[in-house]
Amino acid sequence: MKNLVIVESPSKAKTIQKYLGDDFVVTSCMGHIRDLPENDTAIDIEHNFEPVYEVSEDKKKLVADLKKLATTAETVWLASDEDREGEAIAWHLSEALHLDERKTKRIVFHEITKPAILKAISNPRTINKNLVDAQQARRVLDRLVGYGLSPVLWRKVQRNLSAGRVQSVAVRLVVEREREVSTFVSTSQFKVSAEFDVEGKQLFAELPKRFDAETEAQNFLERCVGATYTIADLETKPGKRSPSAPFTTSTLQQEASRKLGFSLSRTMKIAQDLYEAGFITYMRTDSVNLSELAIDAARMEISSLYGATYSAPRAYTTKVASAQEAHEAIRPTEFSRRTAGESEAHKRLYDLIWKRTVASQMADARLERTTATVAVSTVTEVLQATGEVLLFDGFLKVYMESSDDETNDDDTKKMLPPLSIGQSLSFLQMTAEQRFARPPARYTEASLVKKLEELGIGRPSTYAPTISTIQNRKYVIKEDRDGVPRSVVSLLLKGASVQRMVKTEITGAERSKLFPTDIGMVVTDFLTKHFDDILDYQFTANVEKQFDEIAEGDVAWSAMIRDFYVPFRQEIDKVAETAERQSGERELGVDPVSGKRVSVRLGRYGPLAQIGDADDPDKRQKGLPGTLSINSITLDQALELFKFPKAIGTFEGFTMEVKVGRFGPYIEHNGDFYSIPKSDDPHTIQGDRGVEIILAKRQSIQERTIKTFEDDPTVKILKGRWGPFIAVGKQNVRIPKGTEAADLTLDECLLLAAQQAPPAATKGRKKAAETSDAPASNKPAKKAAKKTARKAATKKAAPKK
């Protein structure tokens, strides 16, 4: 064999093989082949923090196969990704395969196209050890922090908890925002607006000032009774809107979340598919730069589609000073390709990337902004009407900014009818609406990434894993929450009288927002109290800068680790000895029935309410449902929990009991659980309604069931939102493309379950090192995976039809 090319994924290998021909064999290493073992011996602290790497069990055969291929090749080309993580993978391959430096070459490319691959082959280099050291420093530091803090949390808060250098800071942001929201006191003001008729067209104007009291607003409207309204002044100014820069990793994640509703992890998975298929450039980047070739290709496509007047080639500069992947922004590899990808999701994300990139090279939109001042004959105050006219759409022809998509303004209020100074206006009505101040917005996944980026915390490769980790570990949850009704006063001047109305609006409704859990808040409080420097935003950002300095060769990685570790170890030992246990306990009051103290705290299995003291042998405890928090629960809400379980009758010979669990009220019947809809009150629900809920759930399950198996009732083939899938207990298993779901046998289902069993990180890259540094949090998943694999191995796989 002349040439062996090793890339990270099979799909990438398949694409590159097409470009290189028969003289090259392209194969995949399936991501990282070595990592730190999950024990305390992974880092030799006494010998300059030397890491001890191991080939993971599931990669040993792969490494042996790669060794055989490498020994027969004249040249080995290491073609892992171009960032620090990719450089580390290339180094681990070189070390584990014992490659001869004389016949080993390192190549990088930021897009998988034939010209880019051939150019990389023509310009090989050696492995950049500075980049490897930067990645190694991150990995070692995160392991030291994770394995240092987690045992302290086990002893002082709760077992099986974890902490991480970046993840704990991310949780802190969510916790602090939640407390800002909970302590926010909303005040209201009255906003005055008027509506006029101008030759059949509407004109809306507002009073610039707002009134704090209803009486002030009432008085102003009464003074306007019988007034005449004229245009006192017109001011017209030219304006423009410029396009945004092409996507970086974080801006792609934010925009895909806003426009497409994609989670961060889904965005990155789809983007990686598009990259490996050769449709877009590398998807982990801090840069907004475009190559001259790309700018020229965009200019030609824009001129062809929209005309030369729409083309305005421009270069963007990266604002992030420490951008480590400063190569190119995320862009299409061919601007003439208008659609790409297998699934609808792939097509939608590619379309977003295409539009954003093309729009970035288009002309500004030109506007004319007009402000009309309306004089009121009976008062000294004036009203103002503002509007704009789009003179030239420019980049807006292709791409509308996400902030515009989210606005609720009525477009008719933005366009002004023809007006002239001195013109009299036909008055229709005037309103004074009570408007309440809004608390700070809770974070979405996308806005949390934006905040981390602003603070200089994390890198493109770590954003999505960090957000996933804090949710997987139940420190933060993403969910919808219903709002509550609120009365709003509205005053209306129409004709010669002012009417007062009270309307109802819903406030506090949230969609796909991040909320801290009780355990997340208790852990954050403990860490900020005892390890404030680790959770300090500036400290975490400074660590990122030090990684950048290591990548530049300016700092020795082991020296940086030593400077951090010595005081950190001393602090760990001190806190372990002196800190008190923390449970977030909060006293609510007294139980009117027993006269005993009522409190809430974090227990061994989660947050709970308790009647009685800790040493009371007759104390009663109830777990808090997910809708309640130890930080906000009231005495009445806590006492309500002790009214359950409540029997509501029998059905099919078994008792129906209403209970309240972590996710709300439900009915337990014959070992099965049926959620009670929000429209039903669990306190008043009766037996007949309970039977209806049970039968409705059974009908729903039956309608979505494709196949079941008598030999193992825990295995089912079901219809899902994205197509058929296999449910093996609590594990959801993908069905390969082209496979007829109804034809699968039990053995084939179990085999697929074993192949897809966690930990999923054994396939692909561990982009955020700290996500694997929780000593115990993933053990149950591993045990379940092994059990499933053993079960599948004991059965003989039937041949596929």
Side-chain angles (χ1 to χ4, degrees):
M1 187 199 319
K2 282 189 176 183
N3 298 282
L4 173 67
V5 181
I6 304 177
V7 297
E8 290 182 62
S9 73
S11 57
K12 191 190 300 185
K14 184 178 178 182
T15 305
I16 294 174
Q17 183 70 72
K18 294 186 299 185
Y19 301 141
L20 293 179
D22 297 336
D23 285 342
F24 289 80
V25 173
V26 186
T27 189
S28 166
C29 66
M30 303 292 288
H32 274 291
I33 59 169
R34 299 198 310 178
D35 199 5
L36 299 174
E38 293 185 11
N39 56 49
D40 293 333
T41 64
I43 300 168
D44 190 348
I45 295 172
E46 301 300 326
H47 294 86
N48 237 12
F49 301 93
E50 193 66 31
V52 180
Y53 294 107
E54 287 183 358
V55 176
S56 53
E57 194 64 35
D58 61 318
K59 293 292 181 73
K60 286 183 177 178
K61 183 181 183 305
L62 175 63
V63 169
D65 292 342
L66 289 174
K67 274 185 180 179
K68 289 179 184 178
L69 288 171
T71 55
T72 62
E74 295 178 14
T75 304
V76 178
W77 304 79
L78 301 178
S80 49
D81 289 340
E82 60 180 339
D83 57 8
R84 295 174 193 170
E85 202 78 19
E87 203 71 21
I89 288 175
W91 178 74
H92 281 295
L93 283 168
S94 176
E95 294 288 307
L97 304 183
H98 305 295
L99 299 179
D100 184 346
E101 286 187 15
R102 293 170 298 179
K103 69 169 193 174
T104 303
K105 297 181 180 181
R106 171 79 170 118
I107 57 172
V108 295
F109 37 84
H110 66 272
E111 62 181 62
I112 303 177
T113 58
K114 189 170 183 178
I117 300 301
L118 295 180
K119 182 180 179 182
I121 292 289
S122 301
N123 297 276
R125 60 172 173 82
T126 57
I127 293 172
N128 186 328
K129 196 59 171 59
N130 290 334
L131 294 180
V132 175
D133 286 345
Q135 188 275 344
Q136 192 163 244
R138 178 188 293 277
R139 189 77 185 93
V140 169
L141 181 63
D142 288 340
R143 171 57 65 92
L144 292 173
V145 171
Y147 270 54
L149 294 179
S150 297
V152 178
L153 292 177
W154 292 11
R155 291 178 59 185
K156 302 299 182 180
V157 182
Q158 191 183 80
R159 286 192 63 79
N160 295 334
L161 295 178
S162 67
R165 182 181 57 84
V166 176
Q167 76 167 55
S168 296
V169 172
V171 175
R172 180 180 183 177
L173 283 168
V174 178
V175 169
E176 290 182 346
R177 177 57 53 86
E178 186 64 27
R179 286 182 171 148
E180 287 179 47
V181 173
S182 62
T183 57
F184 181 81
V185 179
S186 182
T187 57
S188 68
Q189 290 183 314
F190 284 80
K191 175 184 175 182
V192 176
S193 58
E195 184 180 344
F196 304 93
D197 177 73
V198 181
E199 298 180 358
K201 295 182 180 180
Q202 289 177 311
L203 173 67
F204 296 91
E206 293 181 2
L207 185 69
K209 67 174 288 187
R210 297 197 178 190
F211 298 108
D212 293 329
E214 179 183 343
T215 53
E216 293 175 314
Q218 173 92 15
N219 176 263
F220 179 81
L221 264 62
E222 288 174 349
R223 286 190 291 132
C224 291
V225 172
T228 57
Y229 303 86
T230 55
I231 299 295
D233 187 31
L234 285 172
E235 184 180 12
T236 301
K237 292 181 178 179
K240 70 174 183 176
R241 291 176 61 184
S242 300
S244 298
F247 282 132
T248 62
T249 300
S250 65
T251 54
L252 175 63
Q253 289 170 336
Q254 292 164 42
E255 200 75 336
S257 174
R258 297 187 194 105
K259 289 183 178 293
L260 309 180
F262 288 178
S263 68
L264 266 59
S265 56
R266 189 178 183 208
T267 297
M268 294 310 293
K269 173 65 176 68
I270 295 172
Q272 182 152 344
D273 291 344
L274 292 171
Y275 165 66
E276 292 179 351
F279 297 138
I280 64 171
T281 53
Y282 191 52
M283 67 287 167
R284 294 186 182 93
T285 176
D286 286 353
S287 176
V288 293
N289 178 53
L290 293 178
S291 67
E292 289 296 329
L293 193 66
I295 291 174
D296 192 55
R299 178 187 59 77
M300 293 174 63
E301 188 67 16
I302 293 165
S303 298
S304 172
L305 291 174
Y306 311 113
T309 55
Y310 281 88
S311 175
R314 64 186 86 198
Y316 294 87
T317 55
T318 302
K319 293 180 181 178
V320 181
S322 58
Q324 70 182 49
E325 290 91 6
H327 300 288
E328 265 203 269
I330 303 170
R331 62 165 176 83
T333 53
E334 292 183 26
F335 287 91
S336 59
R337 185 188 290 116
R338 282 295 286 110
T339 183
E342 296 180 359
S343 69
E344 186 62 27
H346 287 87
K347 290 180 172 64
R348 293 177 70 198
L349 189 67
Y350 178 83
D351 182 64
L352 189 67
I353 294 168
W354 188 93
K355 287 180 176 177
R356 174 80 165 225
T357 312
V358 168
S360 75
Q361 298 301 305
M362 293 179 70
D364 294 337
R366 295 198 306 275
L367 312 166
E368 186 178 78
R369 296 192 175 101
T370 301
T371 301
T373 301
V374 179
V376 186
S377 62
T378 57
V379 297
T380 56
E381 294 91 338
V382 296
L383 305 176
Q384 284 189 337
T386 58
E388 60 184 33
V389 176
L390 186 63
L391 303 176
F392 175 66
D393 53 1
F395 76 96
L396 293 176
K397 195 176 193 70
V398 172
Y399 186 80
M400 180 70 74
E401 306 298 329
S402 60
S403 57
D404 287 345
D405 290 349
E406 295 166 0
T407 184
N408 293 320
D409 290 342
D410 188 342
D411 287 340
T412 59
K413 295 183 181 180
K414 292 184 176 181
M415 299 293 293
L416 299 184
L419 299 171
S420 59
I421 294 177
Q423 180 179 354
S424 296
L425 302 177
S426 176
F427 175 75
L428 297 177
Q429 64 179 32
M430 183 181 291
T431 59
E433 296 277 353
Q434 188 178 21
R435 298 290 178 89
F436 287 87
R438 294 182 179 181
R442 290 183 173 93
Y443 288 111
T444 62
E445 287 186 343
S447 62
L448 182 56
V449 165
K450 183 178 181 181
K451 185 65 176 179
L452 289 170
E453 187 179 38
E454 288 173 357
L455 294 172
I457 297 170
R459 286 295 179 263
S461 61
T462 67
Y463 295 139
T466 297
I467 305 303
S468 296
T469 296
I470 63 177
Q471 293 179 69
N472 293 339
R473 294 189 174 157
K474 309 301 181 187
Y475 290 155
V476 168
I477 54 173
K478 181 176 75 170
E479 64 182 15
D480 299 342
R481 291 192 181 176
D482 295 332
V484 294
R486 175 172 65 189
S487 295
V488 178
V489 175
S490 177
L491 305 175
L492 172 65
L493 168 59
K494 199 167 187 177
S497 63
V498 177
Q499 302 174 27
R500 184 181 190 272
M501 297 170 286
V502 178
K503 302 177 182 177
T504 300
E505 68 177 13
I506 301 299
T507 180
E510 301 283 19
R511 295 291 176 265
S512 296
K513 293 295 180 68
L514 298 178
F515 297 86
T517 62
D518 285 325
I519 188 66
M521 299 184 87
V522 171
V523 167
T524 297
D525 289 342
F526 181 85
L527 292 175
T528 50
K529 181 179 180 180
H530 298 289
F531 300 98
D532 187 51
D533 52 344
I534 300 296
L535 264 70
D536 181 72
Y537 302 133
Q538 191 59 49
F539 164 79
T540 310
N542 286 338
V543 167
E544 296 292 347
K545 292 178 182 177
Q546 289 178 288
F547 291 152
D548 296 333
E549 292 171 352
I550 293 169
E552 293 295 324
D554 298 332
V555 175
W557 77 269
S558 56
M560 176 258 185
I561 296 295
R562 185 184 301 106
D563 291 343
F564 162 80
Y565 183 74
V566 172
F568 174 66
R569 184 70 254 176
Q570 293 172 349
E571 192 68 22
I572 288 283
D573 295 338
K574 177 184 174 183
V575 173
E577 288 295 322
T578 61
E580 296 180 353
R581 283 191 63 85
Q582 192 154 332
S583 64
E585 184 172 4
R586 180 169 156 256
E587 187 171 340
L588 302 180
V590 176
D591 174 25
V593 177
S594 65
K596 295 181 178 180
R597 172 175 167 267
V598 181
S599 61
V600 287
R601 62 181 174 84
L602 195 64
R604 184 177 180 183
Y605 302 107
L608 58 85
Q610 179 173 297
I611 297 178
D613 293 326
D615 56 356
D616 184 349
D618 298 321
K619 65 178 177 289
R620 298 167 62 198
Q621 295 178 337
K622 287 288 181 182
L624 267 59
T627 53
L628 296 175
S629 165
I630 59 177
N631 291 281
S632 58
I633 187 174
T634 64
L635 176 63
D636 291 339
Q637 290 173 324
L639 292 174
E640 284 294 318
L641 298 175
F642 291 91
K643 295 180 181 179
F644 299 98
K646 183 179 74 171
I648 59 172
T650 59
F651 177 54
E652 298 174 339
F654 297 97
T655 301
M656 294 181 291
E657 278 192 318
V658 175
K659 297 184 175 182
V660 177
R662 185 80 183 95
F663 302 104
Y666 64 93
I667 297 172
E668 183 175 347
H669 174 260
N670 191 21
D672 291 325
F673 308 98
Y674 304 87
S675 296
I676 296 176
K678 291 181 180 179
S679 56
D680 289 286
D681 185 349
H683 296 91
T684 60
I685 195 168
Q686 299 296 318
D688 291 345
R689 177 57 181 151
V691 172
E692 290 178 6
I693 292 172
I694 292 171
L695 294 178
K697 174 70 176 294
R698 289 178 181 175
Q699 179 67 23
S700 172
I701 293 173
Q702 186 176 352
E703 289 174 353
R704 63 192 290 257
T705 300
I706 297 174
K707 192 174 185 178
T708 58
F709 302 94
E710 289 184 8
D711 291 346
D712 192 342
T714 65
V715 181
K716 300 175 184 177
I717 303 176
L718 305 173
K719 299 175 185 175
R721 184 179 179 185
W722 312 110
F725 68 97
I726 304 165
V728 181
K730 293 185 178 181
Q731 181 190 1
N732 292 339
V733 182
R734 297 186 308 277
I735 296 175
K737 288 183 180 179
T739 303
E740 184 59 46
D743 292 343
L744 286 169
T745 65
L746 176 61
D747 295 327
E748 290 171 329
C749 290
L750 290 172
L751 187 60
L752 286 170
Q755 292 169 349
Q756 298 178 32
T762 56
K763 292 183 182 180
R765 300 157 50 155
K766 293 178 183 175
K767 280 292 182 184
E770 67 179 36
T771 62
S772 66
D773 286 338
S777 61
N778 60 354
K779 285 183 179 177
K782 290 184 177 179
K783 286 177 71 177
K786 290 177 180 177
K787 184 177 178 182
T788 306
R790 285 198 302 270
K791 189 172 183 180
T794 58
K795 296 180 176 282
K796 208 173 212 178
K800 289 189 178 181
K801 293 183 182 180

